[in-house]
Amino acid sequence: MTRLFALIRRYEMFGSLLPEEVFVTDGFPEYTYVSIDQGKPERDLTEGLEQKNKIISIVGPSKSGKSTLCDKFFGRNVGADKIYVTGGSVAYDNDLWREAYRQVSDDTEKIFEDRAHAEVIEYLVGKELPLIVDDFHYINRDTQISVCRQFKNAASAGLRIVILSVPHRGDDPIRSNPDLTGRHFSVDFRFWTIDDLKEIAELGFPRVGLESSANFNEFLAVEALRSPQIMQTLCLEVCRGLSRDRPFEHVNVEEIVRADV
């Protein structure tokens, strides 16, 4: 009866969460989202969004949480919460606007080729959705220059534009068009600290009913090499290492062989 009562209490407190639901290695970590640097990126993005006609540039190392921050602020549903285009899919400037238009239009609308560029921008502005351009640094230089000229006019028309880049290419939008200097607002990400990464474990392990120590959480954080994605993966592998594919009762995580992790 004591064991049954403990199980019931565990489900009441945490629900039937699977480790894969808690430790998300590719996507938005609903239960283990951590605001790094004492919430500075969130504060900076909020400030940038409050300024009209600004083009926001989120700059940070690969897999540092730039896309996750956008998911938190704008939502995850492409075409409903946001317009999302990746730089790798843009060879020419029209590729970007064609994909953006495709995401928010339907069969009742005029096709992209039948609309003038200014008409496309007006249509996108009317949808009141942010345009997120991920991996902007993947766009070739000539196309960047053309796109940035168009960004200036689109932002002036009221389209909210957010560009995601890695640090050594984070100033590409400015270098591509000096006129953007006054319209550019930067949100900077850094590499994650040990304390930031530990928080993923501290938030996540209780969600699946797993007790862990501060020392063990720090061990995982050191092994994560300053990457939240690796930290999520290590925490998930801890759960899998216990041969658990469903929510489980409290166990002693120190029983896990660290070398296996």
Side-chain angles (χ1 to χ4, degrees), residues 11-22:
Y11 276 87
E12 287 177 346
M13 291 174 64
F14 303 113
S16 55
L17 294 178
L18 298 173
E20 289 78 8
E21 294 177 288
V22 175

Side-chain angles (χ1 to χ4, degrees), residues 111-136:
I111 64 173
F112 175 81
E113 285 72 17
D114 289 344
R115 288 184 182 267
H117 179 74
E119 189 180 359
V120 171
I121 297 302
E122 182 181 1
Y123 182 86
L124 296 178
V125 170
K127 292 297 181 178
E128 298 184 344
L129 297 178
L131 169 61
I132 315 296
V133 184
D134 202 354
D135 291 330
F136 184 81

Side-chain angles (χ1 to χ4, degrees), residues 11-67:
Y11 276 87
E12 287 177 346
M13 291 174 64
F14 303 113
S16 55
L17 294 178
L18 298 173
E20 289 78 8
E21 294 177 288
V22 175
F23 298 112
V24 179
T25 60
D26 186 16
F28 184 78
E30 180 178 355
Y31 301 103
T32 52
Y33 178 87
V34 173
S35 177
I36 69 168
D37 207 8
Q38 299 181 331
K40 187 176 185 302
E42 284 84 353
R43 292 195 302 273
D44 288 347
L45 181 53
T46 298
E47 181 181 348
L49 292 172
E50 288 174 349
Q51 300 182 34
K52 293 184 178 180
N53 304 329
K54 289 286 188 180
I55 297 172
I56 298 175
S57 177
I58 303 178
V59 181
S62 179
K63 304 299 181 184
S64 60
K66 301 184 296 294
S67 297

Side-chain angles (χ1 to χ4, degrees), residues 88-102:
S89 67
V90 178
Y92 303 99
D93 51 8
N94 260 2
D95 295 339
L96 188 151
W97 302 111
R98 181 183 293 105
E99 174 58 20
Y101 183 75
R102 183 196 67 79

Side-chain angles (χ1 to χ4, degrees), residues 15 18 49 66 78-79 117 145 157 162 167 169 179 181 204 221 225 237 244:
L18 298 173
L49 292 172
K66 301 184 296 294
V78 174
H117 179 74
I145 294 172
V162 181
R169 301 287 297 278
D179 289 342
T181 302
L225 302 175
E237 290 305 316
R244 305 286 182 169

